[in-house]
């Protein structure tokens, strides 16, 4: 049986201003009720593809704003531990965000405000996909290909794929399952990689190491 090639793509997240902004926690909660889901996606995942100058412990923009804009350390900690991979879709993630914020509002006698120049600006993401003209013809070639993937390719195939594949998995596992049933351990090891509390550089190193181990290379 001829194996269908794995087509390597690259990508970038294009930031689109929504015109929405929040200066306090109540306004943030109000916008979260109906802001476009792509904004939630951007503020959780977009930091992986853009330079980050805030504290690395804050993987999402909501937690970073709670800490640096509102100076609410407790809320920042609660938002920082939210893992978007725990939810089946962005609506589930939205509901969790709102619940955490509402809980904090109930606890607080005063609603904290950010300075005028530290408002939270809601940004939508739109993914732009590029054809690298590179393919992988057999699973044994995954290690060599992964080692030279751009960070955009890592993001597209390991993270964004979870929104595109029918069963919500990365492109590597989706492809391996189509290739045949001889790669259950490899798929299990790929699934064990944490795509969120990580960097794209580390993710590339981890999946390359996994592919090498399963192809018998050191």
């Amino acid at each position: 049986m001829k194996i269908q090639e794995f087509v390597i793509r690259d990508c970038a997240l294009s930031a689109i201003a929504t015109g929405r902004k929040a200066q306090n926690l109540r306004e943030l909660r109000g916008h979260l009720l109906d802001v476009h889901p792509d904004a939630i996606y951007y503020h959780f995942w977009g930091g992986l593809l853009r330079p980050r100058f805030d504290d690395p412990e804050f993987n999402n923009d909501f937690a970073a704003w709670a800490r640096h804009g509102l100076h609410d350390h407790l809320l920042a900690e609660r938002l920082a531990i939210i893992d978007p991979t725990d939810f089946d879709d962005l609506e589930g993630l939205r509901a969790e965000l709102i619940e955490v914020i509402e809980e904090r509002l109930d606890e607080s006698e005063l609603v904290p405000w950010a300075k005028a120049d530290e408002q939270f600006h809601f940004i939508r993401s739109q993914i732009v996909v590029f054809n690298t003209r590179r393919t992988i013809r057999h699973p044994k070639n995954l290690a060599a290909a992964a080692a030279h993937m751009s960070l955009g390719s890592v993001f597209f195939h390991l993270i964004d794929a979870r929104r595109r594949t029918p069963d919500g998995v990365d492109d590597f596992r989706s492809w391996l399952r189509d290739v045949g049933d001889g790669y259950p351990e490899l798929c299990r090891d790929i699934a064990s990689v944490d795509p969120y509390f990580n960097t794209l550089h580390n993710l590339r190193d981890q999946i390359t190491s996994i592919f090498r181990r399963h192809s018998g290379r050191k």
Side-chain angles (χ1 to χ4, degrees):
M1 181 184 70
K2 184 178 180 180
I3 298 176
Q4 182 177 359
E5 295 180 341
F6 183 103
V7 179
I8 301 175
R9 309 287 187 188
D10 199 346
C11 79
L13 284 184
S14 177
I16 304 172
T18 66
R20 294 187 178 217
K21 55 188 177 181
Q23 197 163 354
N24 61 55
L25 194 56
R26 198 174 300 281
E27 290 180 356
L28 184 74
R29 182 253 183 205
H31 285 301
L32 281 172
L33 290 172
D34 60 359
V35 73
H36 196 286
D38 282 350
I40 296 174
Y41 184 83
Y42 179 83
H43 290 300
F44 266 90
W45 293 107
L48 287 172
L49 279 175
R50 68 178 189 264
R52 295 292 294 269
F53 303 104
D54 49 328
D55 295 341
E57 65 191 278
F58 299 120
N59 291 68
N60 69 74
D61 296 337
F62 301 107
W65 185 67
R67 170 65 179 85
H68 299 293
L70 299 179
H71 304 287
D72 188 331
H73 296 226
L74 181 57
L75 176 61
E77 291 176 359
R78 292 177 182 176
L79 292 172
I81 62 174
I82 297 177
D83 187 343
T85 65
D86 289 339
F87 303 91
D88 293 333
D89 53 35
L90 290 171
E91 292 308 317
L93 179 57
R94 182 202 303 271
E96 177 68 12
L97 271 172
I98 293 172
E99 181 176 341
V100 170
I101 290 171
E102 288 182 341
E103 179 181 347
R104 188 62 179 141
L105 284 170
D106 290 341
E107 295 172 349
S108 306
E109 294 183 3
L110 299 175
V111 178
W113 284 64
K115 295 179 180 178
D117 59 349
E118 294 182 347
Q119 296 173 329
F120 187 94
H121 293 265
F122 283 90
I123 305 294
R124 279 184 57 186
S125 64
Q126 179 174 319
I127 192 164
V128 182
V129 183
F130 310 99
N131 184 358
T132 68
R133 302 186 184 281
R134 296 172 56 211
T135 60
I136 303 172
R137 297 185 177 183
H138 192 278
K140 67 182 179 182
N141 303 128
L142 278 166
H148 297 94
M149 282 186 179
S150 69
L151 299 184
S153 292
V154 174
F155 184 92
F156 182 77
H157 292 299
L158 197 62
I159 295 173
D160 193 71
R162 296 163 188 260
R163 295 203 297 173
R164 293 182 279 101
T165 55
D167 48 357
V169 301
D170 56 86
D171 285 332
F172 300 111
R173 282 183 287 164
S174 181
W175 181 64
L176 289 167
R177 291 171 183 177
D178 289 340
V179 168
D181 57 2
Y183 304 95
E185 293 183 359
L186 175 53
C187 288
R188 183 194 63 216
D189 286 353
I190 297 172
S192 70
V193 174
D194 182 352
Y196 183 62
F197 293 104
N198 224 319
T199 68
L200 291 177
H201 285 94
N202 287 340
L203 288 173
R204 180 171 57 194
D205 290 345
Q206 288 179 38
I207 61 171
T208 299
S209 178
I210 289 172
F211 294 149
R212 283 176 176 165
R213 184 167 66 250
H214 283 270
S215 64
R217 296 176 56 185
K218 302 296 183 182

